[in-house]
Amino acid sequence: MASSASSGGNSVFTTSWGRILLPALIFQSVAIGGAYATGREIVEFGAKYGALGWAAGFAMMVAGTVVAFLVYEVARRYGAYDYRSLLQRLIGPVYWLFDAIYLPLSIAILAVLASATGNILESTLNLDYWVGVGVVVAVSAVTTFYGTGIIEKFNSLGTVLLTVAYIAFAALVIPPNWHRIVDVFRTGDHSLFPEATLADAAVMGLTYAGMGFVIYPSTLFTVRRLRRSRDSAVSALLTGVLFVVPWFLTYLALLGFYPDPAVFDAPVPWLQMLNGHGAWIVVIFGVLVGWTLVSTAVGLIQAALARISQNLVDRGKPELTPRTRGMVAVVSLVVAAALSRIGIIDLIATGYLIGAVALIAVFGIPLLVRGPYLILTAKTVARTRQPARPNPMPVPIEPDTKELNDERT
């Protein structure tokens, strides 16, 4: 999915602000589709704590900014513009552990997407649940077999439209319920979890931020455009902020109904919150979210297939043939469709939590521990490096004189 932005990056994204903004936009485009579409994730990872939930969003923003800076700067300095090169720097020969987590997590995310589509079509168009599941499976399979050029071409546009839609939906839901939102904060209501603390909410936000580690590989190709540490820092800050804008919009909207079980126990809370605002609003929501879910599903399938092929090549075996790729895609979608019956709530509450913790262990902790060391030593290596034999690992980028002067200043 990320390639769409690059195709349009020959004009706007070559400007100073454009190239700095691009990584954040790509990150948000994937995050919205795979995470925020239904509103269920915001309930599980923040809004259920009521007045304390803001701590989860704030923790996500801080963590997202710090992690994005480490990812962008390590990738920039070492020319690690693909996830494999980056992970080889961080965890060495066991970099394949990322794939071992990514692939089953992708199945879980596909199952959530299928379940969401089934629920949305059932609620908006009165279609049977399995018709919606069949739609996402069929469209994803077809686009995987025959290419996703059309979907990729409109990916950036779709992301912008969905972001605008979230703002519009929030504008419809928040003002009429503003007094309830104020009451939740005024009374400190967190009745769904009365024993919870701000620290509990913050930890949940940090855990959910771990899901971002499945997104960063899709942003690495844009790091080529970052020229200095300051670029990485600004781009990381934009990433952290854009990461939580739709989160906070949904969070505030949810507080207008706190702790109503009709909303907080719903598989797709946005549908419940938009109920009563006109059928056309719900239809628009269904179309936009449905488009995003299918696009994300296709991106996950393609990424998973690419990882399987590359792992085979690394082991000296031939990569997947088109027929095998098709079979793997179909099997993945069928398994995801079967898992979708578990329901969004359980899939997100359990599957996403396990996946996030695993990604933090394999990607997050090594990045936080080894990332600063790699950044600091890269300066010395880059300034003293002499011509040598070709290295199979990416080498630090040779900084230009202007960048060195800027850093000394």
Side-chain angles (χ1 to χ4, degrees):
M1 295 192 301
S3 60
S4 60
S6 62
S7 64
N10 295 328
S11 55
V12 176
F13 295 121
T14 56
T15 64
S16 177
W17 274 104
R19 57 185 174 78
I20 293 173
L21 181 60
L22 183 58
L25 287 178
I26 294 299
F27 184 92
Q28 190 201 43
S29 71
V30 181
I32 288 179
Y36 297 150
T38 65
R40 186 68 227 170
E41 294 82 353
I42 286 77
V43 170
E44 292 294 339
F45 293 92
K48 66 183 182 181
Y49 295 113
L52 307 179
W54 66 267
F58 182 77
M60 286 172 57
M61 183 182 68
V62 173
T65 300
V66 172
V67 169
F69 174 74
L70 292 174
V71 169
Y72 298 161
E73 190 64 1
V74 171
R76 184 186 72 85
R77 289 184 176 277
Y78 288 88
Y81 302 130
D82 62 274
Y83 88 101
R84 189 174 300 274
S85 298
L86 181 63
L87 286 169
Q88 284 175 335
R89 285 285 177 185
L90 295 176
I91 58 178
V94 293
Y95 66 90
W96 53 267
L97 285 173
F98 182 83
D99 288 335
I101 298 169
Y102 181 92
L103 296 177
L105 182 57
S106 295
I107 297 295
I109 295 174
L110 285 172
V112 170
L113 300 178
S115 182
T117 305
N119 278 286
I120 288 171
L121 292 184
E122 186 176 39
S123 300
T124 58
L125 302 178
N126 293 321
L127 295 177
D128 184 82
Y129 171 86
W130 286 108
V131 173
V133 173
V135 167
V136 71
V137 170
V139 175
S140 299
V142 170
T143 51
T144 300
F145 294 152
Y146 297 104
T148 58
I150 295 178
I151 292 181
E152 290 178 346
K153 188 174 182 180
F154 291 100
N155 185 59
S156 296
L157 176 60
T159 300
V160 172
L161 290 175
L162 189 59
T163 301
V164 172
Y166 270 118
I167 295 173
F169 296 152
L172 287 174
V173 174
I174 292 176
N177 298 298
W178 183 249
H179 63 288
R180 297 182 184 176
I181 298 172
V182 172
D183 284 343
V184 170
F185 283 114
R186 181 177 55 81
T187 61
D189 186 6
H190 53 100
S191 52
L192 287 179
F193 286 82
E195 303 300 322
T197 64
L198 278 175
D200 293 328
V203 169
M204 188 61 75
L206 290 174
T207 303
Y208 188 61
M211 285 294 294
F213 292 115
V214 81
I215 301 173
Y216 285 107
S218 67
T219 69
L220 290 175
F221 79 98
T222 65
V223 178
R224 296 177 185 272
R225 301 173 183 272
L226 303 180
R227 300 175 182 173
R228 59 189 68 185
S229 298
R230 184 171 58 192
D231 290 354
S232 297
V234 175
S235 186
L237 178 60
L238 291 171
T239 299
V241 172
L242 290 180
F243 185 29
V244 298
V245 166
W247 190 96
F248 272 108
L249 288 174
T250 307
Y251 168 65
L252 290 175
L254 284 164
L255 289 191
F257 300 86
Y258 192 83
D260 185 356
V263 173
F264 282 80
D265 291 343
V268 185
W270 266 117
L271 285 178
Q272 296 299 319
M273 291 190 289
L274 291 172
N275 188 28
H277 288 281
W280 63 277
I281 292 292
V282 175
V283 170
I284 291 175
F285 174 82
V287 171
L288 288 174
V289 173
W291 180 94
T292 306
L293 294 178
V294 171
S295 182
T296 301
V298 171
L300 286 171
I301 293 172
Q302 288 188 321
L305 291 174
R307 282 163 169 74
I308 293 173
S309 290
Q310 187 59 52
N311 283 331
L312 291 174
V313 172
D314 288 347
R315 289 166 174 74
K317 299 179 181 179
E319 64 180 13
L320 295 175
T321 64
R323 180 180 179 182
T324 306
R325 287 170 61 88
M327 292 176 62
V328 172
V330 170
V331 170
S332 299
L333 288 164
V334 170
V335 172
L339 287 175
S340 73
R341 202 52 191 169
I342 295 176
I344 294 177
I345 297 176
D346 291 334
L347 284 168
I348 291 175
T350 304
Y352 276 25
L353 182 60
I354 294 174
V357 171
L359 287 173
I360 289 173
V362 171
F363 194 162
I365 293 176
L367 179 69
L368 293 174
V369 173
R370 186 164 168 75
Y373 168 79
L374 290 172
I375 292 172
L376 292 174
T377 56
K379 291 183 179 181
T380 302
V381 172
R383 291 175 182 176
T384 61
R385 180 168 56 85
Q386 301 296 326
R389 297 188 306 273
N391 194 322
M393 295 287 290
V395 297
I397 297 174
E398 188 75 37
D400 56 30
T401 304
K402 185 177 185 305
E403 180 173 350
L404 292 181
N405 291 335
D406 289 342
E407 290 178 354
R408 291 192 185 102
T409 304

